[in-house]
Amino acid sequence: MQRSKVLVGVVGGVTALVALGGLGTHLLAGTESTSRLDEYSTASVDGHKALAANVVAGRTESRFHPLPWVGDKVSGVTCPTGLKAVAGATVTCTGEKSDGESVEIPVRVTKADAKSVTWKFER
């Protein structure tokens, strides 16, 4: 009887650790970001307010590989233009993996208003 209680306790503890690890990975590995549109981060693309290319590139590079078991490490991420502050707008940024291979990173706006833009990238 006591062995079964210990076994149930061990299984429950392992399950809790796995759940917390999964939740932590999900929270830290998110690819969505909301950025303010202010005098330091705003550019213009085709006459539209846009998030500056260097802001998109920097944030993408820093979030692409947040944990050792999520995504590849990339460096030198650049974006050809700013990201229009219009829902559905896209831009493809490029970076380099640690093995020298080039990687394309699609970025898409999910929500935008006059003061901020919410966007996400694909790993």
Side-chain angles (χ1 to χ4, degrees):
M1 181 61 102
Q2 206 167 16
R3 276 191 173 179
S4 65
K5 287 183 180 180
V6 170
L7 182 60
V8 168
V10 168
V11 170
V14 168
T15 302
L17 283 175
V18 169
L20 283 173
L23 177 62
T25 297
H26 175 73
L27 293 174
L28 292 173
T31 61
E32 186 170 276
S33 183
T34 298
S35 302
R36 287 183 357 157
L37 293 171
D38 58 24
E39 66 272 13
Y40 305 108
S41 65
T42 304
S44 179
V45 175
D46 298 332
H48 290 278
K49 206 178 234 189
L51 187 61
N54 64 328
V55 174
V56 177
R59 183 83 49 87
T60 300
E61 184 172 327
S62 71
R63 297 190 78 173
F64 200 86
H65 180 67
L67 300 167
W69 57 90
V70 178
D72 293 314
K73 179 85 173 147
V74 295
S75 60
V77 174
T78 60
C79 302
T81 65
L83 183 59
K84 287 183 194 178
V86 176
T90 61
V91 67
T92 301
C93 301
T94 57
E96 189 174 292
K97 292 182 182 180
S98 55
D99 64 3
E101 182 182 343
S102 181
V103 61
E104 291 186 346
I105 307 165
V107 180
R108 179 178 53 85
V109 174
T110 58
K111 184 174 118 181
D113 60 34
K115 296 182 181 181
S116 67
V117 60
T118 301
W119 52 281
K120 67 185 302 179
F121 65 88
E122 302 297 325
R123 266 193 196 95

